[in-house]
Amino acid sequence: MNNALSTRPLSHRLARGLASACVVAALAAASICTAHAQSTTGAVAGKAPAGDRITVHNENTSVRRTVTVDANGRYAASDLPPGTYSVTLAGDGQAIARHIHVPVLVGSSSEVDFTCKQIRCDRVANTR
């Protein structure tokens, strides 16, 4: 129907047009936002004695994260830039064991476990 000959008031026609434009704009904005939601970091996670502390350190960039192992014996250090890290287990303020050359890749988590069956828990050990 030709708007010039419509019997509806001009304000109703303008309101309807504005509402349509808002819906189109909202849909366009939503599609743009989802296209850019990509991860640029990775993580290190694993098992260790509950209550101990884990330090994840990249010696090339000085990035360092320290987390406490939870009551279930799990830990996770997230939002790490990609690179190669050392992961150190400490109990009572002393280093117990260290995994070296741990890769952190974008969008993934490297599993690093500390168990006394794998290493001697009474001295610092470098493992791969």
Side-chain angles (χ1 to χ4, degrees):
M1 173 183 267
N2 187 345
N3 286 339
L5 302 176
S6 175
T7 59
R8 292 184 184 175
L10 179 60
S11 61
H12 286 171
R13 288 182 285 164
L14 288 174
R16 187 173 183 176
L18 184 58
S20 296
C22 287
V23 168
V24 170
L27 290 174
S31 66
I32 290 171
C33 291
T34 57
H36 295 290
Q38 297 178 359
S39 175
T40 59
T41 61
V44 173
K47 300 174 191 170
D52 284 355
R53 296 182 61 78
I54 302 290
T55 299
V56 181
H57 181 231
N58 183 326
E59 293 181 17
N60 294 325
T61 64
S62 299
V63 170
R64 180 184 304 266
R65 301 275 191 286
T66 300
V67 297
T68 301
V69 181
D70 69 19
N72 296 319
R74 299 287 304 166
Y75 74 90
S78 59
D79 296 326
L80 297 168
T84 302
Y85 290 77
S86 64
V87 184
T88 304
L89 169 69
D92 296 324
Q94 299 295 319
I96 297 171
R98 181 178 299 116
H99 288 275
I100 57 175
H101 307 298
V102 175
V104 171
L105 306 174
V106 170
S108 67
S109 180
S110 295
E111 186 79 15
V112 178
D113 294 334
F114 291 94
T115 64
C116 291
K117 292 178 184 175
Q118 297 171 324
I119 57 175
R120 286 186 50 196
C121 288
D122 59 348
R123 66 180 175 88
V124 175
N126 289 323
T127 61
R128 290 187 194 254

